[in-house]
Amino acid sequence: MTDVLKIVGELVKRLETASPEERLALQRQILQLPAEARELMNVHVRGQLVSVLPVGLDGFKHYYFCKHKRELPPHAEVWVKALLEAHFDETGVMIEGLRGSTKSTVTATMVEYLSGKYPERSSLIICSTESDAKKMAQYIADTVESNAGWKVCFSNVIPDKDRGWGAEGYHLKDSKVPYQEWVQRVMSDHGRDPSFLAVSVTSGAVGKHPTMCLYRDWE
């Protein structure tokens, strides 16, 4: 795997500065790579697109692929468009789907995507039970800490464990921003609230004022 990462890293760097003729040659070289290296190359290139594209359907689809190693299901595109429209218009939207139709996966991935693009903002997730809330928060936290696709797309957005990283709330930080400046930025946006928090519908998240997402997930 180390050799594969080295090869892919070198090709990605060369793609960034290559002329059109050189890119054609590199594409031929990429096609000759082992399948494992081609997949990793695809993730790296699409991860770069996530970081440079504005928030939108294309960027989300690239992030979904990097995170899950598969394409966004075609039926879910209408959900994503509705979620993004609600985000930009600062309104709400209800998504209904059969059990197993990936609605929770898609919407949780949207929370991650927006958190990566806007790490200075905050989200609140409300689930039907405490157990579901814990699982949802842990799912997103594990993504930020350990998912290779997240690290490709949002390498600078990492846990801020000094401010809190657990059941009481998860704080993110942008490693490219001086820490004191970063804390001032997030405090101006959402005070002492965490970057994301998941609670049950009966817990009553008193005093929480999410500035980016309020996501309710239950049957």
Side-chain angles (χ1 to χ4, degrees), residues 21 23 35 41 43 45 50 87 96 109 123 133 141 143 157 169 173 190 198 201 211:
E21 294 77 13
R23 285 180 180 172
M41 184 75 181
V43 169
V45 171
V50 172
H87 166 71
E96 294 183 295
T109 304
S123 298
T143 295
V157 182
K173 65 180 177 181
H190 53 265
V201 67
T211 61

Side-chain angles (χ1 to χ4, degrees), residues 119-190:
E120 72 281 2
R121 302 185 69 184
S122 66
S123 298
L124 177 64
I125 304 162
I126 305 175
C127 299
S128 55
T129 67
E130 290 289 346
S131 176
D132 288 342
K134 182 178 180 180
K135 289 176 182 177
M136 179 62 75
Q138 194 62 56
Y139 175 83
I140 297 174
D142 287 346
T143 295
V144 175
E145 285 199 277
S146 307
N147 184 267
W150 171 276
K151 293 181 184 299
V152 169
C153 298
F154 306 116
S155 60
N156 56 304
V157 182
I158 60 177
D160 187 350
K161 295 189 176 181
D162 290 334
R163 300 194 71 219
W165 192 257
E168 296 301 314
Y170 297 82
H171 293 261
L172 297 171
K173 65 180 177 181
D174 186 339
S175 61
K176 293 182 178 179
V177 179
Y179 188 63
Q180 185 175 3
E181 177 185 338
W182 177 253
V183 172
Q184 291 176 342
R185 187 181 298 183
V186 295
M187 289 288 286
S188 296
D189 182 75
H190 53 265

Side-chain angles (χ1 to χ4, degrees), residues 189-202:
D189 182 75
H190 53 265
R192 297 183 180 275
D193 285 1
S195 301
F196 62 91
L197 171 68
V199 298
S200 73
V201 67
T202 58

